[in-house]
């Protein structure tokens, strides 16, 4: 009590001095905050789009650890987590040299897609191949998952030389799904709707850029994907469906697709023979053959079983071995949650952040876990400390920030983003203010995920935060903001966003095309034609833009120009039935019966039900002059 009285007396006596000190501290703090914020923004703005690849120089001895996501090696004999690159490499087939086969396949086309189910050792085979090339003087460029891929404005300065460049892209199924885009409006054949540019399109143009800059024989690509045709979750496509093979034939036809064979039983036995003594696991060598027979034909399940036993007083035997990856992951999850109940919130946070396309970092996982645990007040502070401790344990034992395929899904519970969207958005915005450089890619990816899930308003909030405060010179964010605004019919704001996008990157035809579409919705057809013209100058053979400009010319009553664009669009895309029908309508208005019937027949041949119905409804508007024409009546089955 006496201490409080003395303290209060001191404050009263020196109140003016303390108030002055407080004012000075407040002023200096505000100035430092403004300075640091402006400096961060300048650094982010001036940097533009960074090159999304880690450069690994030729003849390196650390190729494998740098290619694997899991680089927390340590001494794997004494660690609970077994680093992928330290696992002894096993030949999966006794009568085949897989590395040589992969090398031949890569040299055949320059582009190799290695595919297989989860746990097959796809990344290891790809990494061994990449190391082989690195030893021959090739520079490896490893894609940083979550970064934006696009054609660079100029050749990257951190890539020394234009010879022997090998691009390495792991988890392609996950990357393409993250960078997906929607189709045209449901039930519509009209391409007059702006789209985000999918990863597949950007990858194709990116590769073409480097092949032009360096010559195609100096470029190699190794990509890895899962190829299961059944989905892990009922509300998401399968791993193979995520690639959209049929939608992007030009890209996928250029790859040699190599399906990795399952490891033979003897390969599993050999792996057990080598790993068990190294890891200090008790096991009878004569049982390894029986264990291999029970295994699910993957390397990963063997490793998971060994890691599950490490640190526990159990031996590896046919009785203790779990036959499938799913059972092994679930068993590990149950044991961890039983010992550390808070771990379940961390697992849930990892799943939620993955669905939201937000990077898995300690500074994102911890607050998300706390959000999911619904802890408030002082209890939240104590729980945060415990969460950090549990997360550190999971990083060491489970490599939880870089989860393997099936690791999160196997826990038999699911977190739905719709249930946490508002709170997660608020959290992401706050993290972006605190860590603007680290969070810029995650904020962009999260905005894309929100947009894809149909949460347009929330996506717009995220895009606006990114473009106004975090990364104002990020072209793709301005473009995607325009797409989201357009989708909720805010055409004027969409135009402003597209305008900013084309100012930042005048060579991006998709933004010009989208700007033209938005002007069209505002009935500003002259501005639309101008925007489409800029897009066509960049990409003369884009049928969508030609079709859209034809529509704008039509509204300006410039029929000949409209017909010319529709005709070329139809030549580039023979299935574009609406272009043929539009020509039929205009030719009918010009009394050109022959051309009218030719184009109407093409449209009906592609989609009989739709265009017979349309033509019947449009008789008075366009086709009254040929209503009695026998060929016209036959096409429409009028009798």
């Amino acid at each position: 009590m006496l201490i409080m009285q003395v303290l209060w007396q001191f404050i009263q006596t020196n109140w003016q001095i303390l108030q002055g000190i407080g004012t000075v501290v407040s002023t200096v703090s505000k100035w430092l905050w403004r300075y640091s914020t402006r400096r961060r923004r300048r650094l982010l703005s001036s940097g533009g789009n960074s090159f999304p690849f880690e450069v690994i120089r030729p003849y390196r001895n650390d190729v494998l650890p740098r290619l694997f996501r899991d680089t927390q090696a340590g001494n794997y004999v004494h660690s609970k987590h077994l680093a992928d690159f330290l696992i002894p490499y096993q030949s999966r087939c006794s009568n085949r040299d897989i590395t040589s086969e992969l090398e031949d396949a890569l040299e055949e086309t320059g582009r190799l897609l290695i595919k297989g189910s989860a746990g097959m050792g796809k990344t290891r085979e790809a990494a061994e191949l990449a190391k082989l090339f690195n030893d021959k003087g090739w520079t490896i460029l490893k894609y940083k998952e979550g970064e934006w891929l696009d054609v660079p404005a100029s050749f990257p300065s951190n890539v020394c030389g234009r010879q022997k460049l090998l691009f390495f892209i792991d988890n392609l199924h996950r990357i393409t799904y993250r960078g997906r885009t929607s189709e045209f409006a449901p039930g519509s054949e009209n391409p007059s709707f702006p789209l985000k540019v999918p990863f597949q399109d950007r990858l194709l143009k990116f590769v073409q850029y480097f092949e032009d800059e360096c010559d195609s024989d100096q470029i190699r690509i190794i990509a890895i994907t899962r190829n299961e045709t059944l989905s892990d979750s009922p509300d998401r496509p399968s791993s193979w469906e995520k690639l959209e093979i049929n939608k992007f034939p030009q890209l996928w036809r250029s790859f040699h697709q190599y399906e990795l064979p399952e490891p033979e039983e003897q390969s599993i036995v050999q792996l057990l023979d080598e790993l068990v003594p190294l890891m200090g696991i008790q096991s009878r060598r004569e049982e390894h053959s029986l264990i291999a027979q029970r295994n699910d034909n993957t390397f990963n399940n063997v490793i998971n079983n060994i890691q599950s036993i490490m640190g526990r007083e159990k031996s590896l035997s046919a009785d203790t071995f779990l036959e499938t990856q799913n059972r092994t992951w679930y068993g590990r999850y149950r044991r961890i949650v039983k010992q550390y109940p808070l771990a379940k919130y961390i697992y849930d946070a990892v799943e939620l952040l993955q669905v939201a396309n937000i990077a898995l970092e300690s500074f994102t996982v911890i607050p998300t876990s706390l959000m999911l645990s619904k802890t408030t007040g002082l209890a939240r502070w104590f729980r945060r400390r415990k969460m950090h401790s549990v997360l550190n344990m999971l990083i060491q034992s489970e490599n939880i920030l870089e989860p393997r395929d099936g690791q999160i899904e196997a826990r038999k519970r699911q977190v739905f983003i719709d249930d946490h969207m508002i709170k997660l958005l608020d959290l992401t915005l706050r993290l972006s203010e605190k860590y603007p450089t680290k969070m810029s890619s995650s904020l962009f990816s999260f905005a894309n995920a929100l947009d894809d899930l149909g949460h347009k308003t929330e996506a717009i909030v995220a895009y606006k935060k990114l473009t106004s405060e975090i990364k104002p010179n990020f072209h793709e964010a301005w473009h995607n903001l325009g797409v989201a605004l357009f989708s909720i019919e805010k055409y004027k704001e969409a135009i402003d966003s597209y305008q900013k996008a084309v100012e930042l990157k005048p060579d991006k035809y998709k933004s010009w095309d989208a700007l033209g579409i938005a002007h069209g919705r505002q009935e500003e057809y002259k501005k639309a034609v101008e925007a489409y013209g800029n897009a066509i100058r960049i990409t003369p053979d884009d049928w969508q833009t030609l079709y859209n400009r034809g529509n704008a010319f039509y509204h300006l009553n410039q029929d000949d120009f409209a017909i010319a664009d529709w005709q070329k669009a139809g030549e580039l895309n023979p299935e574009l039935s609406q272009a043929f029908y539009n020509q039929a309508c205009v030719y009918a208005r010009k009394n050109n019966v022959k051309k009218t019937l030719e184009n109407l027949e093409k449209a009906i041949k592609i989609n009989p039900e739709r265009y017979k119905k349309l033509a019947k409804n449009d008789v008075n508007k366009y086709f009254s002059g040929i209503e009695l024409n026998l060929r016209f009546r036959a096409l429409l089955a009028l009798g």
Side-chain angles (χ1 to χ4, degrees):
M1 193 70 178
L2 181 62
I3 295 174
M4 293 298 295
Q5 289 177 347
V6 172
L7 181 61
W8 177 244
Q9 186 176 1
F10 175 80
I11 292 173
Q12 287 180 317
T13 305
N14 300 280
W15 173 247
Q16 289 184 336
I17 296 174
L18 292 173
Q19 194 174 32
I21 293 172
T23 302
V24 171
V25 170
S26 176
T27 302
V28 171
S29 298
K30 288 179 181 178
W31 183 86
L32 289 172
W33 171 255
R34 291 195 190 104
Y35 173 77
S36 62
T37 301
R38 288 171 183 169
R39 187 172 182 272
R40 282 201 309 262
R41 289 177 184 170
R42 281 199 303 271
L43 289 172
L44 286 166
S45 301
S46 62
N49 297 335
S50 59
F51 187 56
F53 287 84
E54 177 186 350
V55 180
I56 304 175
R57 306 291 182 201
Y59 310 112
R60 297 284 302 187
N61 58 8
D62 59 351
V63 169
L64 291 182
R66 292 178 67 177
L67 288 180
F68 277 106
R69 290 173 293 158
D70 172 13
T71 56
Q72 301 178 44
N75 183 342
Y76 89 115
V77 174
H78 302 290
S79 172
K80 290 184 180 180
H81 174 65
L82 189 59
D84 288 337
F85 64 91
L86 290 176
I87 298 169
Y89 175 76
Q90 303 297 324
S91 175
R92 63 185 61 234
C93 298
S94 57
N95 60 345
R96 295 170 61 181
D97 185 341
I98 299 300
T99 303
S100 294
E101 290 182 16
L102 291 172
E103 183 181 8
D104 292 340
L106 180 57
E107 292 292 8
E108 180 184 332
T109 61
R111 305 179 188 181
L112 175 63
L113 180 64
I114 301 174
K115 57 186 183 180
S117 58
M120 289 276 288
K122 303 179 297 296
T123 304
R124 182 55 181 270
E125 295 285 5
E128 292 290 339
L129 178 62
K131 184 179 184 303
L132 179 67
F133 273 74
N134 186 261
D135 291 341
K136 295 179 180 180
W138 286 73
T139 296
I140 301 173
L141 301 166
K142 178 197 172 189
Y143 179 64
K144 303 173 187 176
E145 190 172 342
E147 296 289 324
W148 183 259
L149 178 74
D150 206 347
V151 175
S154 58
F155 197 85
S157 59
N158 57 337
V159 178
C160 296
R162 300 177 185 239
Q163 294 182 334
K164 293 188 173 183
L165 302 180
L166 188 152
F167 293 90
F168 188 94
I169 307 175
D170 199 0
N171 297 306
L172 192 58
H173 58 285
R174 195 161 64 200
I175 295 167
T176 53
Y177 188 62
R178 174 181 287 180
R180 66 193 181 278
T181 183
S182 58
E183 290 283 1
F184 307 140
S188 171
E189 294 187 17
N190 190 336
S192 296
F193 195 92
L195 299 174
K196 293 176 290 184
V197 185
F199 180 87
Q200 293 90 327
D201 274 345
R202 289 182 277 120
L203 176 59
L204 179 62
K205 290 180 172 58
F206 179 88
V207 173
Q208 290 172 341
Y209 168 84
F210 274 89
E211 287 180 343
D212 291 341
E213 288 286 325
C214 310
D215 293 333
S216 59
D217 63 341
Q218 298 298 317
I219 301 296
R220 299 287 184 273
I221 305 170
I222 300 174
I224 307 107
T225 184
R226 287 173 59 179
N227 68 341
E228 294 95 338
T229 55
L230 295 178
S231 176
D232 295 327
S233 175
D235 59 339
R236 298 171 203 163
S238 69
S239 296
W240 188 246
E241 290 170 337
K242 290 174 181 177
L243 297 181
E244 299 182 290
I245 296 291
N246 295 330
K247 186 177 176 181
F248 301 96
Q250 186 180 358
L251 172 67
W252 299 123
R253 277 200 302 262
S254 68
F255 277 85
H256 181 115
Q257 296 184 24
Y258 184 99
E259 184 161 7
L260 209 57
E262 293 180 345
E264 295 176 349
E265 184 179 311
Q266 185 56 40
S267 299
I268 301 298
V269 172
Q270 182 66 28
L271 180 61
L272 287 164
D273 289 346
E274 293 188 39
L275 274 185
V276 165
L278 285 172
M279 303 304 297
I281 301 293
Q282 295 297 317
S283 177
R284 295 172 58 194
R285 194 181 184 100
E286 53 268 27
E287 279 198 68
H288 289 176
S289 180
L290 182 57
I291 291 173
Q293 292 173 22
R294 297 188 64 186
N295 186 46
D296 62 358
N297 297 320
T298 68
F299 287 124
N300 194 46
N301 190 49
V302 174
I303 304 217
N304 283 345
N305 270 272
I306 290 175
Q307 286 186 263
S308 296
I309 290 173
M310 289 171 62
R312 301 164 63 208
E313 294 182 359
K314 290 184 70 175
S315 62
L316 180 66
S317 68
D319 292 331
T320 60
F321 185 84
L322 297 177
E323 300 94 334
T324 67
Q325 295 179 80
N326 193 63
R327 284 193 63 194
T328 309
W329 283 129
Y330 182 59
R332 291 172 69 167
Y333 170 76
R334 286 187 61 189
R335 283 193 298 274
I336 289 169
V337 171
K338 185 177 181 180
Q339 186 174 359
Y340 305 96
L342 291 181
K344 77 175 181 181
Y345 298 116
I346 294 176
Y347 273 85
D348 289 349
V350 168
E351 181 186 17
L352 183 60
L353 292 171
Q354 283 186 315
V355 174
N357 294 336
I358 296 172
L360 298 179
E361 303 282 356
S362 295
F363 68 83
T364 60
V365 173
I366 291 294
T368 306
S369 304
L370 290 168
M371 179 193 78
L372 293 173
S373 70
K374 299 180 181 178
T375 311
T376 58
L378 189 60
R380 183 182 179 90
W381 184 82
F382 284 108
R383 178 160 283 190
R384 177 185 289 274
R385 296 190 65 184
K386 291 182 179 178
M387 284 281 192
H388 274 288
S389 176
V390 175
L391 178 60
N392 288 335
M393 179 276 299
L394 288 173
I395 290 172
Q396 293 298 320
S397 67
E398 303 300 306
N399 201 29
I400 194 68
L401 298 186
E402 295 171 345
R404 291 175 178 269
D405 292 332
Q407 181 176 356
I408 304 301
E409 295 84 354
R411 74 196 197 287
K412 297 183 180 180
R413 55 184 279 141
Q414 190 171 356
V415 181
F416 297 96
I417 192 171
D418 286 356
D419 297 337
H420 309 280
M421 180 186 58
I422 300 301
K423 288 184 177 180
L424 184 60
L425 174 60
D426 178 65
L427 174 61
T428 305
L429 295 178
R430 286 188 280 112
L431 289 174
S432 297
E433 291 178 359
K434 191 173 183 180
Y435 309 101
T437 305
K438 294 179 179 179
M439 282 295 295
S440 61
S441 293
S442 288
L443 181 58
F444 179 60
S445 297
F446 182 38
N448 291 340
L450 290 170
D451 190 27
D452 293 334
L453 293 168
H455 302 298
K456 305 295 183 180
T457 302
E458 291 77 11
I460 288 168
V461 171
Y463 285 131
K464 285 186 174 180
K465 182 74 170 180
L466 187 62
T467 54
S468 63
E469 298 181 29
I470 307 300
K471 207 169 183 180
N473 288 347
F474 190 16
H475 160 270
E476 288 76 13
W478 284 105
H479 176 93
N480 290 4
L481 172 59
V483 173
L485 289 165
F486 184 98
S487 68
I488 60 173
E489 300 183 358
K490 292 190 175 183
Y491 302 128
K492 181 67 173 64
E493 289 184 55
I495 288 171
D496 293 339
S497 293
Y498 292 135
Q499 193 64 54
K500 180 65 176 179
V502 297
E503 288 172 6
L504 289 170
K505 286 194 175 180
D507 60 333
K508 295 297 179 182
Y509 80 96
K510 278 292 183 185
S511 296
W512 284 113
D513 181 53
L515 179 60
I517 295 170
H519 278 308
R521 292 297 175 94
Q522 291 286 89
E523 298 184 1
E524 299 168 346
Y525 297 115
K526 286 185 178 179
K527 291 181 178 179
V529 166
E530 182 180 350
Y532 291 136
N534 287 327
I536 291 168
R537 275 190 285 275
I538 299 166
T539 310
D541 292 333
D542 185 81
W543 62 267
Q544 291 176 321
T545 309
L546 287 162
Y547 175 86
N548 292 337
R549 189 173 70 171
N551 292 343
F553 277 131
Y554 171 80
H555 286 291
L556 292 172
N557 294 316
Q558 297 183 29
D559 290 351
D560 291 339
F561 288 117
I563 287 172
D565 278 347
W566 288 331
Q567 185 176 356
K568 188 171 181 181
E571 291 170 358
L572 292 167
N573 181 5
E575 297 299 310
L576 186 57
S577 50
Q578 189 68 46
F580 299 115
Y581 185 76
N582 289 355
Q583 290 179 75
C585 294
V586 173
Y587 276 124
R589 197 163 65 180
K590 295 166 74 71
N591 296 317
N592 190 327
V593 177
K594 181 181 178 182
K595 291 288 187 180
T596 298
L597 294 175
E598 282 180 2
N599 283 281
L600 182 60
E601 184 175 5
K602 289 178 182 178
I604 290 174
K605 186 176 181 180
I606 298 169
N607 192 335
E609 183 179 353
R610 172 181 170 82
Y611 290 104
K612 283 181 180 181
K613 183 178 179 179
L614 270 180
K616 289 176 183 178
N617 292 337
D618 287 340
V619 165
N620 292 332
K621 186 175 181 180
Y622 295 112
F623 305 119
S624 58
I626 59 171
E627 185 177 5
L628 300 178
N629 183 284
L630 294 178
R631 186 180 171 192
F632 177 77
R633 297 182 70 82
L635 284 172
L636 271 58
L638 292 174

